Amino acid sequence: MRNFATLTRMRIQLTLRNRMFLFFSVIMPFGFFFLYAGVFAKGQPAGVRFFLGPVVALAVMGSFWGLSAALVMFREQGILRRFHVTPVTASDMLASSIVANYVLIFPTVLLQFIFARTIFHVTHFGDIFATFILISIGNIAFASLGLVVASVTNTMQETQVINQLIWLPLIFLSGATFPLAFLPKVVQKVSLFLPATYLVQGLSRTIFGSAHIWEHNVLISLGSLVCWAVLTFFLSAQLFRWEPEVKVPRKAKLLVLATIIPFLLLGFWENTYGNIPAQAQSALDSLSEPTKSAPSPDAPK
Amino acid sequence: MFMATPIIQVENLVKSYGDVHAVRGVSFTVDEGEVFGLLGPNGAGKTSTVEILEGLRDLDGGSVSVCGLDPQRDSQALKHEIGAALQSTSLPDKLRVMEALRLFASFYKRRRNPEELLKRFGLEEKRNTFYSQLSGGQKQRLALAMALLNDPKVLFFDEPTAGLDPQVRREIYDIIEELKREKKTIVMTTHYIEEAERLCDRVAIVDHGKVVALGTPRELKSHSGGTTRIEVRLAKPEPDGALKKLEGVADARELDGAYVIHSHRPPKTIVDLVKHLEAEGNELVSLEIASPSLEDVFIEMTGRRLRD
């Protein structure tokens, strides 16, 4: 437990000294924030509140990127080897990655809420408790995804390719960039198979729809992300490698497929019985109605 | 003196990576307070052996015991008892020297004062320097300091001076000699003969995953007959059988285009050699004389040189 605490502190310290961190945790999330709030929402409080869910989700999800890269770099440079001759365990290493990431992402998310309040005059943020829980679970789930990526790739190059492959569908098909309701029906069906969709839609529900934690779709989001976080963390602990020369075992790819199963089942279920796209549509409708009635020259503040 | 059980016991150790048989039946023991060296060329299986002892790798056959523990089963307990400076390891670029010492000290139950180690290894002015800004020698001194953080019972140094320039290498030798005076048990690997002769109480010469000779440097050298090595290059090739017949010669063989002659009576051999070459119409291109070293033992056992 003490090893885990000191490692976490080191990881936070090192990340703050890293310029890459500045990009992924500061420039990118706030870039998205001002783009969405200022341009898409035209600075209107209701619009900013509508987009806050997707924006926060992007900041939370983006963490998998830096985490996988950091761990692979640690392994490639023989840094993990050095820890391996000490009593530090694989779970110390992995858990400290997740907690350090959580601590580092939180100020960013908090600042996004504060900016929404002070710059764009958003007065209501829906159910704050449910939002907080979703952000926390989402953060852990996507951090674990980063650890899995680090476990199944051998070199930094491979890691970056896989990250790109994950990131693009993650942001384009989940409703994080284009609201889910804008997407064609077929794409909506696909998006219901993605973990990201459940985070984005869950946050939209709690922030914009003021949904409580026990609302059906929020529970679905929460439950699926918890389940996924547990699976991916367990998997990353199984596949963890200290040594750069040790390559990914063949069974790893099969195990990775196993983590997809919950969302495969959930996707089928939601496509058949669920109402997430309909809910997203009505949220979008409720936003566009007042803006249609009062056309363009609203002064963005 | 009573007979203590050895602190390290290795019996018939076997380790393979796929088709590569890295370690093929290595056995040795190390007593408490001893500096034990594994000497051999790169790829001889030294690092694999050491990493199994440290509990970093699983073995495929045989048995090992370190501090009375099985490195595979009790690796967690073992790691509190050992200190190591590994090959090809590194620390995060943006970690400062003192932070590294404090961080790694925090992992152990028993620990030494990082401040004191900083002083002892001459890193005081570097305490706030990022790891990436240290020189090769400073990095290595930090690695040795870190290996001592838990006041370990056994120290493992894997190629402690590889890639360092001669002056820095001597600095590291001084540090290891000091540890030796403190009666620390040290297992080190090296492919430098000088290093093994100077630092080790006993040396196992390792080649192709096997121990080919084991003993104190003195024993090993006397094993090669206490002969002097004469290395010559000739204008024309010479059947080595002819060189063996020269006066005082114990052994002669061709090695990388040169002829290595081991002689009991170097002056006589040289005079005889020159006469022989004149008679054959051959010429001496160069001649070198070296006092017996572990290199000769290696050449004798393997027919190859130890150098890269």
Side-chain angles (χ1 to χ4, degrees):
Chain A
M1 205 53 196
R2 202 188 51 220
N3 293 352
F4 157 73
T6 49
L7 276 174
T8 305
R9 210 175 53 219
M10 174 203 78
R11 294 297 290 275
I12 293 172
Q13 226 166 26
L14 288 177
T15 313
L16 289 174
R17 289 174 191 167
N18 185 343
R19 269 189 223 106
M20 283 274 280
F21 165 75
L22 210 68
F23 179 74
F24 283 109
S25 300
V26 181
I27 296 176
M28 207 171 68
F30 287 109
F32 278 126
F33 176 79
F34 285 106
L35 178 72
Y36 282 42
V39 180
F40 298 163
K42 303 194 187 74
Q44 291 171 1
V48 173
R49 186 175 162 196
F50 176 80
F51 282 111
L52 198 56
V55 164
V56 166
L58 279 174
V60 167
M61 296 189 298
S63 56
F64 88 92
W65 197 295
L67 212 63
S68 57
L71 200 62
V72 172
M73 200 177 73
F74 266 33
R75 188 173 62 223
E76 275 194 331
Q77 296 183 345
I79 295 169
L80 289 184
R81 252 172 87 76
R82 186 60 190 83
F83 284 100
H84 196 192
V85 269
T86 70
V88 168
T89 63
S91 354
D92 285 335
M93 212 60 194
L94 293 171
S96 69
S97 302
I98 288 180
V99 174
N101 175 66
Y102 185 86
V103 172
L104 288 164
I105 287 292
F106 224 82
T108 305
V109 171
L110 198 63
L111 264 183
Q112 290 181 333
F113 278 91
I114 291 172
F115 284 174
R117 175 87 185 78
T118 54
I119 301 175
F120 297 105
H121 307 288
V122 179
T123 46
H124 296 288
F125 291 102
D127 190 312
I128 289 175
F129 174 70
T131 304
F132 170 75
I133 297 291
L134 261 175
I135 289 173
S136 301
I137 298 297
N139 201 340
I140 295 169
F142 280 91
S144 302
L145 172 68
L147 299 180
V148 171
V149 172
S151 298
V152 296
T153 51
N154 288 326
T155 61
M156 191 58 114
Q157 263 176 335
E158 261 178 61
T159 312
Q160 300 296 27
V161 170
I162 299 276
N163 280 346
Q164 292 276 9
L165 288 176
I166 295 176
W167 181 242
L168 293 177
L170 211 73
I171 62 169
F172 287 116
L173 303 182
S174 64
T177 39
F178 306 110
L180 194 63
F182 278 178
L183 298 173
K185 282 274 177 294
V186 191
V187 180
Q188 285 183 1
K189 283 194 189 308
V190 175
S191 73
L192 289 174
F193 290 97
L194 299 176
T197 307
Y198 294 90
L199 180 63
V200 175
Q201 299 312 317
L203 284 172
S204 290
R205 277 304 296 155
T206 58
I207 297 173
F208 189 70
S210 296
H212 296 302
I213 198 160
W214 53 81
E215 194 201 82
H216 177 77
N217 281 349
V218 177
L219 278 180
I220 290 273
S221 290
L222 212 53
S224 59
L225 288 170
V226 167
C227 175
W228 199 51
V230 171
L231 267 177
T232 45
F233 184 80
F234 175 74
L235 182 68
S236 65
Q238 288 300 303
L239 298 178
F240 186 75
R241 287 168 293 144
W242 300 92
E243 309 280 333
E245 330 73 76
V246 181
K247 297 299 176 205
V248 189
R250 293 207 186 283
K251 63 163 186 174
K253 304 210 161 112
L254 282 175
L255 287 170
V256 171
L257 288 179
T259 63
I260 297 173
I261 291 172
F263 281 96
L264 211 58
L265 298 176
L266 185 61
F268 280 120
W269 176 269
E270 282 297 324
N271 269 312
T272 322
Y273 304 105
N275 67 341
I276 290 176
Q279 219 173 36
Q281 184 65 53
S282 67
L284 188 68
D285 292 343
S286 76
L287 175 73
S288 42
E289 269 157 24
T291 37
K292 264 178 200 157
S293 60
S296 45
D298 299 11
K301 294 179 186 172
Chain B
M1 265 190 7
F2 70 104
M3 290 290 288
T5 49
I7 194 159
I8 294 176
Q9 284 175 299
V10 179
E11 240 182 83
N12 215 6
L13 179 64
V14 175
K15 175 73 189 175
S16 309
Y17 305 99
D19 298 336
V20 183
H21 303 291
V23 183
R24 305 188 293 174
V26 164
S27 303
F28 61 85
T29 58
V30 180
D31 290 324
E32 212 165 339
E34 190 175 33
V35 178
F36 187 85
L38 291 164
L39 174 70
N42 292 329
K46 296 168 293 175
T47 297
S48 292
T49 303
V50 166
E51 287 184 348
I52 289 166
L53 294 178
E54 290 161 342
L56 301 189
R57 287 179 197 280
D58 293 342
L59 48 77
D60 294 331
S63 68
V64 297
S65 140
V66 181
C67 305
L69 298 166
D70 174 345
Q72 211 165 332
R73 258 205 344 260
D74 317 313
S75 84
Q76 212 50 27
L78 178 68
K79 282 167 181 174
H80 283 283
E81 305 301 334
I82 62 169
L86 302 171
Q87 225 180 330
S88 59
T89 54
S90 159
L91 290 173
D93 283 348
K94 294 283 169 74
L95 195 62
R96 299 179 200 279
V97 169
M98 196 57 196
E99 286 170 353
L101 287 170
R102 290 232 168 86
L103 173 70
F104 280 79
S106 77
F107 299 148
Y108 296 102
K109 287 183 232 153
R110 184 177 65 232
R111 43 188 123 132
R112 287 173 69 161
N113 184 359
E115 207 65 57
E116 168 209 320
L117 287 169
L118 198 69
K119 209 173 287 174
R120 170 165 176 190
F121 286 85
L123 290 165
E124 268 169 309
E125 317 95 271
K126 296 287 166 192
R127 65 163 55 232
N128 289 322
T129 307
F130 285 138
Y131 181 73
S132 58
Q133 287 161 352
L134 297 177
S135 70
Q138 288 162 347
K139 281 181 178 165
Q140 193 57 9
R141 275 186 303 185
L142 177 60
L144 296 182
M146 284 171 60
L148 288 167
L149 277 168
N150 55 334
D151 196 14
K153 292 205 179 109
V154 181
L155 280 160
F156 293 97
F157 296 150
D158 196 2
E159 299 277 359
T161 63
L164 299 177
D165 57 56
Q167 193 201 331
V168 181
R169 195 177 291 170
R170 253 168 265 131
E171 261 175 52
I172 303 291
Y173 290 168
D174 291 342
I175 292 173
I176 296 176
E177 276 174 338
E178 204 184 314
L179 293 170
K180 189 174 168 175
R181 281 195 293 276
E182 289 171 23
K183 290 286 166 211
K184 284 274 178 206
T185 309
I186 300 173
V187 176
M188 58 181 285
T189 72
T190 180
H191 62 275
Y192 296 121
I193 294 135
E194 183 201 351
E195 198 164 298
E197 286 196 20
R198 178 167 165 185
L199 300 175
C200 298
D201 296 318
R202 281 192 310 136
V203 176
I205 299 181
V206 187
D207 189 47
H208 290 311
K210 283 187 170 156
V211 175
V212 293
L214 197 156
T216 65
R218 186 187 297 256
E219 277 166 10
L220 289 173
K221 278 186 279 187
S222 68
H223 177 78
S224 74
T227 54
T228 300
R229 174 163 43 131
I230 303 168
E231 229 182 287
V232 294
R233 285 180 186 274
L234 305 175
K236 287 191 285 186
E238 182 83 8
D240 47 339
L243 297 181
K244 274 184 187 158
K245 289 185 201 119
L246 299 175
E247 222 185 317
V249 170
D251 182 51
R253 57 177 92 196
E254 196 192 334
L255 207 63
D256 314 330
Y259 293 89
V260 177
I261 303 165
H262 286 103
S263 164
H264 300 292
R265 293 152 70 196
K268 292 264 184 207
T269 304
I270 291 168
V271 171
D272 203 24
L273 173 70
V274 173
K275 276 187 199 155
H276 169 77
L277 291 178
E278 247 163 34
E280 296 287 313
N282 205 340
E283 230 175 289
L284 202 55
V285 177
S286 73
L287 184 143
E288 248 177 79
I289 300 178
S291 56
S293 80
L294 290 179
E295 167 105 75
D296 300 292
V297 183
F298 191 81
I299 292 171
E300 194 182 315
M301 302 305 297
T302 67
R304 286 178 294 117
R305 275 179 216 277
L306 193 54
R307 283 171 227 153
D308 301 310

